[in-house]
Amino acid sequence: MSDLGRSILITGGTSGLGYQCALELARQCPEARILIASRSDTNSAAASINKALGQTNVQYLPLDLSNLDNVRAFAAEYAEGKYPKIQALVLNAGLQFPNGVTYTKDGVESTFAINHVGHALLFHLLRPHLAEKARIVITASGTHDPAQKSGLPDAEYTTAEELAHPSPQSAKNSGRQRYATSKLCNVMWTYALDKRLIAAAARGEERYTVNAFDPGLMPGTDLVREASAVLRWIWNNVMPRMIPLLRRFVHPNIHSPEESGIALARLAVGEDVAGVSGAYFEGTKKINSSVESHVVEKQEDLWHWTVKHVARDEEELRTFDSL
């Protein structure tokens, strides 16, 4: 691969929304190194994009967000690989577990671990590699907001500790509810990070931006790959053909992965949103997120629990928490 001048890194870019975003980023930024970080690349996403565009700037890097040791190994390999500075960090990967509670190798509830904790550690470890005016974009979801009436159980944030290690009572919550709550965490962490980035810029440090993104409902993506065979078949074979009808009669925020991928890429590289930070976007529109997402006490609980959990020692804790 040629020595390109900047990197754009996207997690979960091997299929669905992430793939379409990576494709659009590669199309718009042929001079950038597009890095797709995911647990596996069984679809040969990077090679497929390179072939489709006649380019060589897309590369796959293995990353398992459910394993904090693997996230650390990834960051170390990134530093050793002498990649260009990261102009955009798209924290997109997400998963839901519709059945009983599952836990990662680190002993954290899997939905919360993959959708939030692993991404938070990845950001902190890659922060030294961010370029001037870098953008961080976090894929959230309208399911975090009860007012959206998405059909999922309402998100409910008590404490980060409760989400990481559910009590016997909260362990009874459905996997779909845990997913909605993890998306609420994505939005709250966006706001908590933005506040700290503003403070860091006031101290003379580089000003980065961070925004949250709702791609809408996207039938045909891998989001329900842990669901039953019947539901997966309907999701992958029936609903994608009905998007215009679903958008008209069910909810307007239903899109194809291609449409949402372009909207996500815009937040990463679009000139019209340069400098925008601390915002929540539904597709291309900046809108208000849920009432609960703006509760500062909950944002701070999530922030402080997260840095304490992912830091391996006191020195790293101070570094992560010093934003």
Side-chain angles (χ1 to χ4, degrees), residues 133-304:
K133 298 180 181 178
R135 303 184 194 183
I136 300 102
V137 186
I138 302 169
T139 299
S141 170
T143 61
H144 88 278
D145 187 356
Q148 292 269 352
K149 300 187 184 304
S150 67
L152 265 66
D154 291 350
E156 181 180 346
Y157 187 96
T158 51
T159 66
E161 173 61 24
E162 177 73 16
L163 295 178
H165 307 107
S167 66
Q169 183 61 35
S170 66
K172 298 176 183 178
N173 294 347
S174 72
R176 296 164 74 238
Q177 193 272 345
R178 286 190 289 275
Y179 174 80
T181 302
S182 76
K183 297 288 103 179
L184 172 61
C185 291
N186 291 154
V187 181
M188 294 197 302
W189 193 75
T190 297
Y191 296 151
L193 175 57
D194 181 59
K195 180 171 67 174
R196 286 161 172 82
L197 292 176
I198 291 173
R203 298 193 300 266
E205 299 179 33
E206 183 56 53
R207 176 65 168 118
Y208 307 127
T209 63
V210 58
N211 293 295
F213 172 74
D214 169 23
L217 183 69
M218 296 175 295
T221 62
D222 280 350
L223 184 63
V224 299
R225 60 183 177 270
E226 300 293 332
S228 68
V230 172
L231 180 57
R232 291 199 307 272
W233 186 85
I234 295 172
W235 177 259
N236 291 317
N237 297 282
V238 178
M239 292 180 65
R241 303 172 184 272
M242 300 175 60
I243 287 178
L245 290 175
L246 293 171
R247 190 181 293 161
R248 181 174 180 180
F249 294 108
V250 179
H251 198 284
N253 192 25
I254 301 176
H255 306 282
S256 69
E258 292 84 356
E259 292 170 328
S260 294
I262 292 172
L264 178 56
R266 168 182 173 250
L267 291 181
V269 299
E271 290 298 325
D272 63 321
V273 290
V276 176
S277 190
Y280 176 79
F281 286 82
E282 180 184 88
T284 60
K285 299 180 299 181
K286 184 167 69 171
I287 67 169
N288 292 325
S289 58
S290 71
V291 172
E292 189 175 11
S293 69
H294 290 283
V295 177
V296 173
E297 292 79 8
K298 294 185 177 183
Q299 295 171 8
E300 292 300 296
D301 174 80
L302 177 65
W303 179 271
H304 290 297

